[in-house]
Amino acid sequence: MDPLRRSPSPCTSRPPSPRTPPCEMLGHVGIEAVLEQLKIKAMKMGFEFNIMVVGQSGLGKSTMVNTLFKSKMWKSTLPGLGVPMPQTLQLQSVTHIIEENGVKLKLTVTDTPGFGDQINNDKCWDPILGYINGQYERYLQEEILITRQRHIPDTRVHCCVYFVPPTGHCLRPLDIEFLQRLCRTVNVVPVIARADSLTIEEREAFRRRIQHDLRAHCIEVYPQKCFDEDISDRILNSKIRDRIPFAVVGADQEHLVNGRCVLGRKTKWGIIEVENMAHCEFPLLRDLLIRSHLQDLKDITHNVHYENYRVFRLNQSHALPRGPGWVNLAPAPADLTATPGPWKVRWQAHDSSDEEC
């Protein structure tokens, strides 16, 4: 036998398998300390989360944001009488640093005042889609630099909360037309605004009509079925999908109820507690956005929506100009609202146990 000829390596001769069997360990190594290292590093860097609220005026968008984060993100004051509604939709963004138990969150909220309030709402969604794609373009221009920053500031919209007016009937044509475009660009979570104006029976019937409209017009809202990674995610997300759109009530004032302070709205019939599931579904929305799916919203934004935009822009610029210090794409099109087809880039969960030799 030729001594120079080596027998095939065990890792190359075995057939590829989705999971590699664990190695038998002879003692304690301390691998679990990696989790503590990741935690310490994340605590130092902090977290970023960008949320957008879309809906008509008077649906309580600013109040809902204040209720979600229990802080005065927006001043929920009514505009003075006699002030005309602006003809163009002007987006307003505000950034705050929220700290809780040593965890810092850089929160950016983008409000869309007056969406759908005009008589002629033709292409009223263009400023919103243009802003979302503009943040993708801004991130892409930073990412393609040869000498880029170690940490690229993330201004991309991770979630868009769409406020549906409590009509009790079904989605309006404006809602359907906009949601069909919006769901291809960003994670969309629809909610029924001012749910206290509907009875429980009317609220449930309204929810079923909205769910039927979403299915009939192929509107994929978050969480999407195609991104469920395992059985536990599938069970949890199925329960969430069954309750979407959430019927929510916002309030940023505390009231005394049975000797305890609660967030709620005071009416002549009593106090509507926003954190009481018997009154509204605000706790479900808060858990989805903050406690259970915040990181997943950011992952899908980066791996799916931003990836779609990146592929779209790279295909659009056939040749990249060469430069000594950086690489720049062709100028972005004037119409940034053009969006690639739905789900052209799929995010697949890769097993961490890849084949290693």
Side-chain angles (χ1 to χ4, degrees), residues 60-81:
K61 302 187 298 295
S62 303
T63 306
M64 179 58 61
V65 173
N66 294 339
T67 310
L68 272 174
F69 299 96
K70 294 186 177 181
S71 58
K72 295 291 184 179
M73 296 290 300
W74 289 97
K75 295 181 180 180
S76 55
T77 56
L78 295 176
L81 297 178

Side-chain angles (χ1 to χ4, degrees), residues 105 124 203 206 235 284-285 312 315 344:
L105 176 66
C124 62
R203 191 174 69 185
F206 190 32
I235 294 175
L284 297 180
L285 176 64
F312 172 70
N315 288 334
K344 282 188 177 180

Side-chain angles (χ1 to χ4, degrees), residues 56-64 76-79 162-168 191-200 202-203 206 246-252 265-267 272 274 279-282 285:
Q56 289 182 342
S57 299
L59 293 182
K61 302 187 298 295
S62 303
T63 306
M64 179 58 61
S76 55
T77 56
L78 295 176
Y162 190 84
F163 286 70
V164 179
T167 60
V191 298
I192 301 174
R194 295 193 177 276
D196 53 332
S197 61
L198 301 173
T199 65
I200 296 179
E202 292 172 343
R203 191 174 69 185
F206 190 32
F246 301 127
V248 298
V249 177
D252 51 8
R265 294 185 58 214
K266 187 176 182 180
T267 66
I272 303 172
V274 298
H279 295 180
C280 71
E281 296 173 341
F282 168 79
L285 176 64

Side-chain angles (χ1 to χ4, degrees), residues 29-316:
V29 178
I31 300 177
E32 70 276 3
V34 175
L35 298 177
E36 187 65 22
Q37 297 174 33
L38 294 175
K39 179 181 177 181
I40 294 174
K41 186 176 181 180
M43 294 279 283
K44 290 180 179 179
M45 294 183 59
F47 301 91
E48 296 174 321
F49 188 61
N50 307 318
I51 186 173
M52 173 182 282
V53 289
V54 179
Q56 289 182 342
S57 299
L59 293 182
K61 302 187 298 295
S62 303
T63 306
M64 179 58 61
V65 173
N66 294 339
T67 310
L68 272 174
F69 299 96
K70 294 186 177 181
S71 58
K72 295 291 184 179
M73 296 290 300
W74 289 97
K75 295 181 180 180
S76 55
T77 56
L78 295 176
L81 297 178
V83 178
M85 185 65 63
Q87 295 299 319
T88 58
L89 182 62
Q90 298 179 357
L91 302 180
Q92 303 175 5
S93 296
V94 61
T95 301
H96 288 283
I97 303 295
I98 301 177
E99 185 172 355
E100 183 180 30
N101 296 330
V103 179
K104 293 182 180 180
L105 176 66
K106 182 181 179 181
L107 176 66
T108 300
V109 181
T110 304
D111 194 5
T112 56
F115 172 76
D117 290 347
Q118 287 74 37
I119 297 178
N120 182 12
N121 291 309
D122 184 31
K123 296 183 179 180
C124 62
W125 48 76
D126 283 355
I128 299 175
L129 297 178
Y131 175 83
I132 296 174
N133 287 327
Q135 304 312 307
Y136 291 152
E137 180 70 21
R138 181 178 177 181
Y139 191 91
L140 179 61
Q141 293 295 333
E142 289 289 337
E143 190 181 45
I144 62 178
L145 296 177
I146 294 179
T147 56
R148 58 186 180 184
Q149 304 180 48
R150 182 178 179 182
H151 175 69
I152 301 177
D154 191 1
T155 60
R156 299 169 296 180
V157 179
H158 300 128
C159 179
C160 177
V161 181
Y162 190 84
F163 286 70
V164 179
T167 60
H169 302 295
C170 57
L171 289 177
R172 303 169 301 170
L174 176 64
D175 299 326
I176 295 174
E177 191 73 19
F178 180 41
L179 286 174
Q180 285 180 331
R181 290 171 166 81
L182 191 64
C183 69
R184 305 175 188 174
T185 311
V186 71
N187 299 311
V188 182
V189 178
V191 298
I192 301 174
R194 295 193 177 276
D196 53 332
S197 61
L198 301 173
T199 65
I200 296 179
E201 293 78 11
E202 292 172 343
R203 191 174 69 185
E204 292 301 321
F206 190 32
R207 189 203 317 274
R208 299 307 171 191
R209 294 190 187 101
I210 293 177
Q211 291 177 348
H212 176 268
D213 289 342
L214 295 176
R215 290 191 298 267
H217 295 90
C218 300
I219 299 174
E220 292 285 341
V221 298
Y222 184 85
Q224 300 89 342
K225 291 184 178 180
C226 55
F227 300 141
D228 293 343
E229 296 186 16
D230 50 32
I231 186 64
S232 60
D233 289 347
R234 193 177 305 116
I235 294 175
L236 175 60
N237 293 339
S238 296
K239 295 179 180 178
I240 295 174
R241 283 188 286 264
D242 189 56
R243 304 302 301 173
I244 283 182
F246 301 127
V248 298
V249 177
D252 51 8
Q253 295 182 357
E254 291 186 342
H255 300 276
L256 192 63
V257 178
N258 298 328
R260 58 188 181 92
C261 290
V262 297
L263 284 174
R265 294 185 58 214
K266 187 176 182 180
T267 66
K268 64 173 67 175
W269 300 280
I271 296 178
I272 303 172
E273 303 177 28
V274 298
E275 295 182 337
N276 189 342
M277 281 293 297
H279 295 180
C280 71
E281 296 173 341
F282 168 79
L284 297 180
L285 176 64
R286 179 190 57 198
D287 293 346
L288 174 68
L289 296 182
I290 302 175
R291 299 184 178 180
S292 62
H293 288 72
L294 187 148
Q295 187 59 45
D296 188 62
L297 285 165
K298 297 179 63 175
D299 291 341
I300 292 183
T301 298
H302 180 76
N303 296 313
V304 179
H305 298 297
Y306 170 70
E307 195 69 15
N308 280 340
Y309 182 84
R310 190 184 69 88
V311 172
F312 172 70
R313 288 287 286 119
L314 291 177
N315 288 334
Q316 202 174 44

